[in-house]
Amino acid sequence: MSNNSAVGIHDLSFATTRYVLPHAALAEYNGTEIGKYHIGIGQRSMSVPAADEDIVTLGAAAAAPIIARHGNDRIRTVVFATESSIDQAKAAGIYVHSLLGLQSACRVVELKQACYGATAALQFAIGLVRRDPDQQVLVIASDVSKYELDSPGEATQGAAAVALLVSADPALVRIENASGLFTADVMDFWRPNYRDAALVDGQESVQAYLQAVEGAWKDYGQQGGRSFEDFAAFCYHQPFTKMAYKAHRHLLNHVGLVDTDKDDVERAIGQTVAYNAVIGNSYTASVYLGLAALLDQAEDLTDRAIGFLSYGSGSVAEFFAGTVVPGYQAHLRSEANLDAIARRKQVTYAEYRELHERSFPTDGGDYSTPTETTGPFRLAGLSGHKRIYQTR
Ligand code: CAA
């Protein structure tokens, strides 16, 4: 296999939570004018995990359809990317490996860099597949985004997991070699080990994101990347969907396309925001939910280039490109994706608040969780400081 052979995303599947809170309910509770949520940040609702859901159950639910379709014989690596890790030592991917019955001849590892981790996982996976094109890598991006109640960040919560099967001769998207990188030490969003909810300087985080977009794009050019006009669409990390528009406008200004009209911006971004607008921020999964929404809705993207901008606060950003593979439509999961969103059960603001305030006891005792999820896996409880998972 030469260095130029195609490696990329062979399959993509996602899962989200049992519950959903519409922004209208949040607005009614806190007296915010609903336009701020629907238009100002571009969010309609947010996925809310049930008491028996976490990043493991979501990640396993996202990956299960991939294993059902492709088997697991060639998967020798699982990379689990998350900001909302459940253990300081053990990789969440090991629970997923067990729930999915993956082979023991497999390396499993967890990666962290805020919302950027899944893109690092994808790039590392590509390196492994280039070394041995017979192998496949399962990348799982799974997160529960949690901010303090009654804080400005509250409206930008969400939860979901995306699973990507990375392989040679991919059926969906080939990932190109050129990649633009940017790292800066900035305290825009972080979460010390003793905290459940993230700390954030909201306005600074927006500026840090825009600066990172520009930095990653500049480096992408220096690495021999495509020109801006080559791209049919752009998948940005979407902490809230309006951020993709802000980022795109920023790049347009940077490349001198200041006069680009609204319709052109909508063509570049519009189809990438559909899932994130109703799921909310899923941190590491967000940029790939953007890809799922784009592939599911676009008329035909065969051989077209897509730009990806992954941003993780703190901060690291990467701009890279993918080309859509002929015949990709036959491999999409559009119906299942819509169903994952539609079957969520609406909770009231009070119910959401109770779930938000729930925390696991830390005394090592035995605790069971109520059966709430309708997903294939559940967190049944805790015993002796261990999380107990079940296949439903
Ligand atoms: N109708 C229409 N629009 C309205 C409106 C109304 N009635 N009222 C307000 N708006 C608009 C405002 O004009 C503003 O628009 P612009 O940004 O275009 O100016 C928008 O709604 C938001 O209003 P504010 O800036 O006043 O909102 P805020 O300060 O209360 O909160 C936020 C916004 C800072 C993003 C907050 O939601 C937050 O802290 N979120 C968490 C952090 C975050 O998501 N940061 C993003 C970058 S970091 C990142 O991407 C990593 C990550 O995932 C965390």
Side-chain angles (χ1 to χ4, degrees):
M1 181 184 193
S2 85
N3 249 2
N4 293 324
S5 301
V7 178
I9 301 170
H10 191 47
D11 198 358
L12 185 163
S13 161
F14 78 77
T16 188
T17 58
R18 170 69 182 128
Y19 297 133
V20 60
L21 179 76
H23 277 74
L26 177 60
E28 196 184 320
Y29 166 80
N30 64 19
T32 298
E33 154 63 35
I34 191 65
K36 174 168 174 178
Y37 294 152
H38 286 177
I39 300 158
I41 61 168
Q43 290 305 125
R44 314 292 302 194
S45 59
M46 56 173 107
S47 283
V48 176
D52 54 352
E53 290 176 325
D54 69 3
I55 57 163
V56 168
T57 64
L58 292 174
I66 289 185
I67 305 305
R69 188 186 275 180
H70 303 277
N72 64 35
D73 306 1
R74 295 170 61 190
I75 298 175
R76 288 176 57 82
T77 305
V78 177
V79 190
F80 194 107
T82 188
E83 185 277 353
S84 32
S85 187
I86 54 162
D87 195 289
Q88 309 282 11
K90 180 165 173 155
I94 297 181
Y95 297 108
V96 174
H97 176 277
S98 165
L99 289 169
L100 298 180
L102 302 186
Q103 56 180 332
S104 59
C106 188
R107 60 168 78 81
V108 182
V109 71
E110 187 166 310
L111 276 189
K112 173 180 70 185
Q113 188 358 71
C115 310
Y116 165 75
T119 296
L122 173 61
Q123 296 293 2
F124 298 166
I126 289 168
L128 286 170
V129 174
R130 281 212 186 287
R131 194 172 74 171
D132 178 1
D134 287 336
Q135 294 187 23
Q136 298 176 327
V137 178
L138 180 63
V139 169
I140 298 171
S142 184
D143 268 308
V144 172
S145 153
K146 198 165 180 185
Y147 293 98
E148 295 285 359
L149 291 167
D150 306 319
S151 72
E154 184 179 16
T156 63
Q157 297 175 116
V162 168
L164 305 173
L165 187 64
V166 179
S167 78
D169 299 320
L172 296 179
V173 179
R174 300 185 195 111
I175 302 298
E176 298 181 356
N177 284 347
S179 211
L181 304 173
F182 180 83
T183 287
D185 182 3
V186 49
M187 293 303 281
D188 60 329
F189 164 105
W190 69 107
R191 188 167 66 81
N193 285 345
Y194 49 83
R195 283 184 63 97
D196 246 14
L199 293 165
V200 65
D201 181 335
Q203 300 304 339
E204 176 167 355
S205 73
V206 171
Q207 292 316 311
Y209 181 129
L210 296 178
Q211 201 195 356
V213 167
E214 193 178 317
W217 173 260
K218 274 187 193 155
D219 187 52
Y220 178 68
Q222 284 160 9
Q223 300 300 316
R226 289 172 178 269
S227 67
F228 198 85
E229 291 85 350
D230 274 3
F231 293 100
F234 292 79
C235 294
Y236 291 92
H237 167 55
Q238 294 167 21
F240 48 93
T241 64
K242 183 78 174 289
M243 192 68 222
Y245 290 87
K246 284 180 191 285
H248 197 61
R249 273 277 166 218
H250 190 82
L251 262 195
L252 285 167
N253 290 346
H254 176 74
V255 300
L257 297 168
V258 186
D259 297 330
T260 304
D261 67 27
K262 250 181 122 183
D263 291 348
D264 281 340
V265 172
E266 199 52 31
R267 266 190 289 280
I269 308 293
Q271 289 173 321
T272 71
V273 302
Y275 297 160
N276 287 312
V278 291
I279 286 175
N281 193 357
S282 56
Y283 291 159
T284 51
S286 150
V287 64
Y288 300 100
L289 279 178
L291 173 64
L294 173 68
L295 295 178
D296 285 350
Q297 294 174 96
E299 209 165 291
D300 185 11
L301 285 167
T302 304
D303 290 328
R304 302 299 306 276
I306 299 171
F308 293 86
L309 186 286
S310 182
Y311 175 73
S313 289
S315 74
V316 177
E318 179 160 352
F319 188 97
F320 62 101
T323 39
V324 180
V325 177
Y328 74 97
Q329 289 101 333
H331 304 273
L332 297 178
R333 300 177 178 276
S334 316
E335 218 172 289
N337 292 345
L338 288 175
D339 186 51
I341 289 167
R343 70 164 175 261
R344 293 171 302 169
K345 186 175 168 222
Q346 205 166 301
V347 283
T348 63
Y349 183 80
E351 287 165 335
Y352 144 78
R353 208 169 162 101
E354 203 181 312
L355 283 161
H356 193 287
E357 282 170 338
R358 232 184 120 83
S359 67
F360 279 118
T362 54
D363 62 4
D366 292 345
Y367 298 94
S368 56
T369 48
T371 302
E372 294 180 359
T373 184
T374 51
F377 307 102
R378 63 181 296 270
L379 170 61
L382 284 182
S383 180
H385 294 292
K386 295 171 198 147
R387 287 192 183 218
I388 312 296
Y389 293 100
Q390 277 176 353
T391 301
R392 286 184 58 255

